[in-house]
Amino acid sequence: MTGAKRKKKNVLWSKMHTPHWEDFKQWCRKRLPILEWAPHYNLKENLLPDTVSGIMLAVQQVTQGTFALTSLISANAVERLVPLSVQNLTTQSNTSVLGLSDFEMQRIGVAAAVSFLGGVIQVAMFVLQLGSATFLLTEPVISAMTTGAATHVVTSQVKYLLGMKIPYISGPLTFFYIYAYVFENIKSVRLEALLLSLLSITVLVLVKELNEQFKRKIKVVLPVDLVLIIASSFACYCTSMEKTYGLEVVGHIPKGIPPPRAPPMHVLSAVITEAFGVALVGYVASLALAQGSAKKFKYSVDDNQELLAHGLSNVIPSFFFCIPSAAAMGRTAVLYSTRAKTQVACLISCIFVLLVIYAIGPLLYWLPMCVLASIIVVGLKGMLIQFRDLKKYWNVDKIDWGIWVSTYVFTICFAANVGLLFGVVCTIAIVIARFPRAKTLSIKNIKEMEFKVKTEVDGETLKQVKIVSINNPLVFLNVKKFHTDLINIIQKENASNLLLDDISKCEQNTLLSPLSNGNCSEEASQPCQNEKCSLILDCSGLTFFDYSGVSMLVEVYMDCKNQSVDVSLAHCTASLIKAMKYHGNLDSEKPIFFESVSAAISNIHSNKNLSKLSDHSEV
């Protein structure tokens, strides 16, 4: 083969394989986000705050453990298959795994099996791309489900808070049976445990409130959880509270991590119900926190990627006898308050947790269970105070209020996964019933309307007005489509209006920047200097809405306001105006609601002449 032919063949070979290699690298960066941000990590600016956040996060991780909701679901499987009552009937013998008995290994094995199967379900959901179905999970349903699940967790800690011996109770209406048993046996409450629980809860709440009040003035918040653990453990050790007052303590904690071993596969069929509960509840609660963070810090969340991450986080650790995990509101709040910059904070937290497992864990033997239960209950404060959302839903949409209440009732009467399923089905059924038969869920872009107006501000500059009509109900089923179509309209306007010579100077219109989920660069997000923009939303076709629809309208308004883009709403019903005013901090200095589009235009362009009029844009 001649050199020219060989060279030509190599060029063809390179052209055939380079795109595939680029696609593979892009896939790796998408599925392993650390490959994207780690190379650009700024040690000087980020390492110190990440280290402080990681240490504080580790302190809370040690004191509260993993996610309380998934832990409770796993505990149901453990108590059902290997109840504590069997312990006295079996011969106790230690295994070679961390000195644990056969009975303890059986219980841990069941929890690991729940984690393994729950992770497999989440990975399967990722393969089937079911993350795109998360739009069915509305904020009222998630709020009610997590509040109900938190109520279950508090109920599971009542026996420790009161120092009572409560038999294992399972099945529907467990919540009511437990409290009925407590009131029937109220004389068996240990006064010492009750007083210590009240004291612990009081201290935790007061110090955490003070930390929240003065977080801007102090660089490092007081780790009251850790201080309480050390103080109570030391006091229990010195006074022998376990023997003197009969207080239950944590007891022996194995040191180290066991060698990897497959979870007991023969129990998978018996824990499938709990595994689905772990997969759904853990994912939904974690996704809600992820989306809240994304909204706060202006970035996007890949719902399917979250499924893969959580699935692998449950499957792989199950081989080391770990229980199911998920994100927790308390630990997320710690990252906020300590100003964590990147995920390096979580990595540092893991290192400190490993240190505790290998060195410090056994020292927690004397920790009173009532103190640990108090820490867990106070840690659920963020979820329990979601009861305040009821007032918000009542003022925005009374149907969403009813969905919240019914979902919460189903959750506490049955289980978190049952409440979640009921809430989703109920929401879909109500929306379908509210939709007129002539309407559809699709959003159609028919026409576009724009104005070019000369203003006297800053000389003779052009001011652009974009009008978008909403001609369908705005509910959780179509708010994302509405958001996407609004972006497409703005992008189309950018492409048609910007001259080639101006592209390098101003690549994006100010209307696009606030609606781009924070993916635009800082330079691109700057407003165009040669045009001023306004957006009018014509709501004459908005026949009804729910909480998600109001949230999206407020989000669009606030994002545009942050980019100095005027937003006006025309033909709004009284209920929509009331809901939006209650939901968000709308600008009270200048009017944003108008009786008609012409009134909105007159307000924006008072005493100005229209110079250009084209089509009308409908959504």
Side-chain angles (χ1 to χ4, degrees):
M1 181 182 295
T2 64
K5 291 183 177 180
R6 187 182 295 109
K7 183 177 181 180
K8 185 177 180 180
K9 184 177 180 180
N10 291 338
V11 171
L12 292 174
W13 179 268
S14 176
K15 289 182 178 180
M16 291 174 61
H17 289 79
T18 299
H20 297 288
W21 172 244
E22 291 297 327
D23 292 341
F24 176 74
K25 289 196 298 184
Q26 185 177 359
W27 183 89
C28 289
R29 286 194 296 266
K30 184 178 181 180
R31 298 307 171 202
L32 296 172
I34 191 174
L35 300 177
E36 186 72 28
W37 60 264
H40 308 289
Y41 185 78
N42 192 321
L43 288 172
K44 184 177 180 180
E45 294 184 3
N46 299 335
L47 185 59
L48 180 59
D50 282 344
T51 301
V52 174
S53 297
I55 294 174
M56 299 301 298
L57 184 62
V59 169
Q60 191 172 52
Q61 178 74 13
V62 170
T63 55
Q64 299 183 15
T66 185
F67 192 43
L69 307 187
T70 54
S71 300
L72 180 63
I73 296 173
S74 304
N76 291 335
V78 172
E79 292 295 340
R80 179 168 54 84
L81 297 179
V82 192
L84 283 172
S85 57
V86 180
Q87 184 177 11
N88 299 326
L89 304 177
T90 57
T91 303
Q92 297 296 312
S93 61
N94 290 339
T95 65
S96 59
V97 181
L98 303 179
L100 298 172
S101 66
D102 290 329
F103 176 77
E104 290 173 323
M105 286 303 301
Q106 290 178 25
R107 290 171 65 86
I108 294 173
V110 172
V114 173
S115 179
F116 173 80
L117 187 56
V120 169
I121 293 173
Q122 289 173 328
V123 173
M125 293 171 67
F126 161 75
V127 173
L128 297 175
Q129 298 291 289
L130 295 182
S132 57
T134 53
F135 69 92
L136 297 174
L137 304 172
T138 63
E139 184 175 327
V141 172
I142 295 176
S143 174
M145 184 274 293
T146 53
T147 306
T151 306
H152 275 299
V153 175
V154 172
T155 303
S156 69
Q157 301 301 310
V158 166
K159 60 181 179 181
Y160 302 117
L161 295 172
L162 303 179
M164 295 180 64
K165 298 290 184 181
I166 300 179
Y168 174 69
I169 304 174
S170 62
L173 305 181
T174 298
F175 173 84
F176 302 99
Y177 290 138
I178 290 177
Y179 285 105
Y181 183 90
V182 169
F183 286 111
E184 289 175 0
N185 300 272
I186 196 69
K187 294 182 179 180
S188 63
V189 173
R190 287 191 177 275
L191 185 59
E192 298 83 0
L194 177 59
L195 292 176
L196 188 55
S197 299
L198 292 175
L199 178 62
S200 301
I201 291 175
T202 302
V203 171
L204 287 167
V205 172
L206 286 178
V207 176
K208 286 179 181 289
E209 286 297 324
L210 290 174
N211 283 339
E212 185 66 25
Q213 291 292 329
F214 298 100
K215 64 181 181 180
R216 294 183 178 180
K217 298 181 180 180
I218 54 178
K219 293 183 178 180
V220 180
V221 296
L222 176 65
V224 62
D225 307 73
L226 181 61
V227 173
L228 184 61
I229 285 178
I230 296 174
S232 59
S233 300
F234 183 74
C236 185
Y237 172 77
C238 294
T239 60
S240 300
M241 291 183 183
E242 182 185 13
K243 297 179 181 178
T244 306
Y245 302 107
L247 289 181
E248 186 178 355
V249 297
V250 171
H252 172 68
I253 298 178
K255 183 168 63 175
I257 297 178
R261 181 193 300 180
M265 299 297 173
H266 64 278
V267 301
L268 293 182
S269 59
V271 300
I272 190 168
T273 302
E274 288 81 6
F276 267 105
V278 164
L280 295 177
V281 174
Y283 172 69
V284 169
S286 301
L287 184 64
L289 290 174
Q291 291 176 340
S293 299
K295 187 176 181 179
K296 182 181 180 70
F297 297 105
K298 304 298 181 184
Y299 64 89
S300 59
V301 174
D302 186 341
D303 298 342
N304 285 301
Q305 174 67 15
E306 293 294 312
L307 277 173
L308 177 63
H310 286 285
L312 295 180
S313 297
N314 282 324
V315 170
I316 297 175
S318 68
F319 287 84
F320 297 90
F321 301 99
C322 294
I323 62 177
S325 63
M329 184 178 293
R331 294 195 293 277
T332 303
V334 168
L335 292 176
Y336 288 164
S337 61
T338 55
R339 300 176 180 88
K341 299 295 184 181
T342 69
Q343 290 180 321
V344 171
C346 299
L347 178 61
I348 294 174
S349 173
C350 293
I351 294 174
F352 276 88
V353 170
L354 281 175
L355 178 64
V356 171
I357 292 174
Y358 276 98
I360 306 175
L363 299 178
L364 300 176
Y365 178 96
W366 298 100
L367 175 63
M369 288 297 297
C370 59
V371 174
L372 181 60
S374 301
I375 293 174
I376 293 173
V377 169
V378 174
L380 293 169
K381 176 189 172 185
M383 291 185 178
L384 293 174
I385 62 175
Q386 290 180 132
F387 279 109
R388 297 185 302 187
D389 292 345
L390 284 171
K391 182 180 179 181
K392 175 177 63 177
Y393 296 130
W394 179 265
N395 285 278
V396 174
D397 185 14
K398 292 178 175 58
I399 291 181
D400 278 339
W401 181 90
I403 292 174
W404 196 103
V405 172
S406 57
T407 301
Y408 176 80
V409 170
F410 264 75
T411 300
I412 64 170
C413 289
F414 300 99
N417 51 346
V418 176
L420 181 66
L421 180 61
F422 169 82
V424 171
V425 173
C426 184
T427 303
I428 294 175
I430 289 176
V431 168
I432 292 176
R434 292 174 76 182
F435 261 101
R437 293 186 178 182
K439 298 289 184 180
T440 65
L441 292 180
S442 62
I443 298 180
K444 300 178 181 179
N445 298 332
I446 302 175
K447 299 178 181 178
E448 294 184 7
M449 185 179 199
E450 74 177 35
F451 297 90
K452 295 286 187 178
V453 180
K454 287 188 176 182
T455 66
E456 298 176 358
V457 181
D458 297 328
E460 293 290 325
T461 58
L462 288 177
K463 186 166 186 177
Q464 174 187 333
V465 179
K466 193 69 175 179
I467 301 177
V468 176
S469 294
I470 308 174
N471 288 334
N472 270 313
L474 198 56
V475 294
F476 73 99
L477 290 174
N478 62 357
V479 288
K480 287 188 177 180
K481 185 67 166 57
F482 165 77
H483 188 265
T484 302
D485 280 3
L486 190 58
I487 292 176
N488 290 338
I489 289 174
I490 296 168
Q491 287 177 331
K492 181 179 178 181
E493 178 64 21
N494 292 340
S496 61
N497 282 342
L498 292 179
L499 299 176
L500 292 176
D501 294 339
D502 296 332
I503 290 178
S504 59
K505 300 179 181 179
C506 184
E507 294 183 355
Q508 292 195 41
N509 186 286
T510 50
L511 285 177
L512 176 61
S513 302
L515 301 174
S516 58
N517 292 327
N519 293 329
C520 302
S521 64
E522 183 177 354
E523 179 181 354
S525 63
Q526 297 299 320
C528 297
Q529 299 299 323
N530 61 337
E531 277 194 348
K532 294 185 178 181
C533 306
S534 294
L535 175 65
I536 298 178
L537 296 178
D538 180 6
C539 302
S540 57
L542 184 56
T543 54
F544 70 86
F545 54 88
D546 65 1
Y547 182 82
S548 300
V550 174
S551 298
M552 180 57 69
L553 288 176
V554 173
E555 180 181 347
V556 169
Y557 170 80
M558 296 303 295
D559 286 341
C560 290
K561 178 184 175 183
N562 292 335
Q563 294 292 329
S564 300
V565 176
D566 294 329
V567 179
S568 303
L569 290 91
H571 295 114
C572 297
T573 62
S575 59
L576 178 61
I577 296 175
K578 177 184 176 182
M580 289 189 65
K581 286 183 176 180
Y582 186 85
H583 184 281
N585 298 321
L586 303 181
D587 195 345
S588 59
E589 296 181 356
K590 54 184 180 181
I592 63 170
F593 300 102
F594 299 92
E595 295 182 356
S596 63
V597 174
S598 59
I601 296 173
S602 299
N603 178 73
I604 299 173
H605 308 291
S606 56
N607 302 322
K608 302 294 185 294
N609 296 322
L610 259 72
S611 62
K612 180 179 180 181
L613 175 64
S614 61
D615 291 318
H616 193 83
S617 166
E618 297 190 1
V619 177

